Amino acid sequence: MANAPRYQQIKTFIQEKIEARVWPVGTRIPTEYELCDQFNVSRMTVNKAVRDLVAEGLLERTPRLGTFVTEPKAESPLMDIRNIADEVNARGQTYHSDIRTLKCISAPADVAMRLGVMVGTSVFYSEIVHYGDAIALQLEQRWVNPALAPDYLAQDFNQTTPNEYLSTVCPVNTIEHTVEAIQASSTIQQALAMRSDEPCLLLHRRTWSQQTLVSAALLYHPGSRYKLTSRTDR
């Protein structure tokens, strides 16, 4: 570490304080001027270390108040589909869900278009809030084609997730993702324990199996607790 760039040494110092819980979530870290004096470096060097940690979600800057240790954001890959329960458990958190709705409905026009069926077709609908520990991470609204997953409503989604079940009975070969930032409705804000002024990430997802559209989902995420990533190898 002695041969590492100075900004990397400062970054590692801060990371170790956070990981050791010396600086728990909510702690205001030393100012950039204090870190400059401690490490005998320029403010530009300290600023780079802090900016990196802000970008990585470990720190959060609050104007006029300082820089604080923040709860790391949950993260999902944009170009793939992963079981949210596995993602939560991999971060060392405990996964659980709140099943708000699980029923058969007659598809209105918007759902029929989204799922590629005729208006009035019977489709399955589920609405589930997914948690990491006691923190709501995602509100999932999903519509499923009964012809491809006839036993969907019989599943215990406290023991599995819709994603895990559908991936087993209808292996996915095509994914469509669209992401937008929205102002969430009061119902969604309440379900996800969001502030009224907090941005919401909405992921539109449709999945196909053997060229047949299986499900369409709207996945809502609190902007302060979640991020979506994408990586392309060339």
Side-chain angles (χ1 to χ4, degrees), residues 55-97:
E56 292 171 16
L58 289 179
L59 297 177
E60 182 177 36
R61 281 184 164 130
T62 302
R64 296 183 297 277
L65 293 178
T67 302
F68 296 82
V69 179
T70 188
E71 188 77 37
K73 291 185 178 182
E75 180 176 351
S76 290
L78 186 55
M79 304 299 291
D80 197 4
I81 296 180
R82 293 183 186 169
N83 182 18
I84 190 169
D86 293 339
E87 291 182 358
V88 169
N89 292 330
R91 292 193 293 270
Q93 297 177 313
T94 300
Y95 169 81
H96 74 277
S97 62

Side-chain angles (χ1 to χ4, degrees), residues 151-171:
D151 297 326
Y152 186 78
L153 297 184
Q155 303 310 303
D156 181 358
F157 289 125
N158 285 310
Q159 300 300 318
T160 187
T161 65
N163 171 272
E164 184 177 20
Y165 170 70
L166 291 173
S167 296
T168 299
V169 299
C170 306

